[in-house]
Amino acid sequence: MPSSRKATRSDDSDPHAIAEQCLALRARVLNRALSAIYDRALAEHDLKVSQFNLLVAISGHPGILASRLGTALCIDESTLSRNLERLRARGWIAVESSADTKSAAGRDSRARPLRLTAAGKAGFERACAAWRSAQTQALEELGDSDAQALLRIAGHYMGA
């Protein structure tokens, strides 16, 4: 899509053209807008959507390794560690002990299984109604066609 502005630079360095065409910029703006909807709804449960999504993944895959969780959700290691620690501090997840604590994998929390605790299961279940409300709002704002396109595109990166 060519820029409607008259470029004073080559197309490669025209900031207006880049801003209009950059997929990464558009994806980040969409991510922030959608995250704000979910974060507002989940705030009553003292959760961010990023933490809720971890609860979803751990609930659906008990015993998943943190390293695999980060890869599956395309989350960088520091963000994953920070959010897992917040959930652990609340008593919502448990990082299981490794039988082989002498190995590098036994000492590395990324290689240890994650599970929801009873408190985590209860908190997750309570937060699901807030998620559903946010999901409804997001679907209304996007419209069916755009929502389906987003799910299809994201599915390519989530292995769906």
Side-chain angles (χ1 to χ4, degrees):
M1 246 183 270
S3 170
S4 60
R5 298 182 189 268
K6 189 160 191 145
T8 57
R9 310 170 190 209
S10 74
D11 284 344
D12 287 346
S13 63
D14 178 10
H16 301 292
I18 292 169
E20 288 177 1
Q21 298 172 22
C22 182
L23 297 176
L25 171 63
R26 299 299 170 125
R28 286 194 180 262
V29 169
L30 179 59
N31 176 48
R32 288 182 184 114
L34 290 175
S35 291
I37 292 169
Y38 290 91
D39 286 347
R40 278 192 302 273
L42 293 165
E44 67 185 273
H45 301 282
D46 196 27
L47 282 172
K48 298 281 190 185
V49 70
S50 54
Q51 296 161 349
F52 181 80
N53 288 335
L54 293 175
L55 294 173
V56 169
I58 296 167
S59 178
H61 303 279
I64 191 169
L65 303 180
S67 58
R68 183 155 183 203
L69 182 63
T71 299
L73 298 178
C74 299
I75 302 172
D76 68 87
E77 190 176 328
S78 64
T79 301
L80 178 64
S81 294
R82 182 175 57 251
N83 282 312
L84 288 175
E85 178 52 31
R86 288 177 181 156
L87 294 170
R88 192 202 57 73
R90 290 180 71 178
W92 285 27
I93 65 166
V95 179
E96 295 183 354
S97 298
S98 173
D100 182 9
T101 57
K102 293 182 181 181
S103 73
R107 291 187 304 270
D108 186 350
S109 63
R110 293 170 299 165
R112 291 169 52 194
L114 302 169
R115 296 199 184 277
L116 294 186
T117 63
K121 288 176 186 174
F124 169 68
E125 289 174 8
R126 284 190 307 272
C128 283
W131 174 85
R132 174 55 61 199
S133 174
Q135 180 78 352
T136 299
Q137 182 183 350
L139 289 169
E140 287 172 1
E141 288 192 21
L142 285 174
D144 188 56
S145 177
D146 287 347
Q148 291 306 314
L150 180 58
L151 291 169
R152 181 181 49 76
I153 293 165
H156 292 298
Y157 296 93
M158 295 179 69

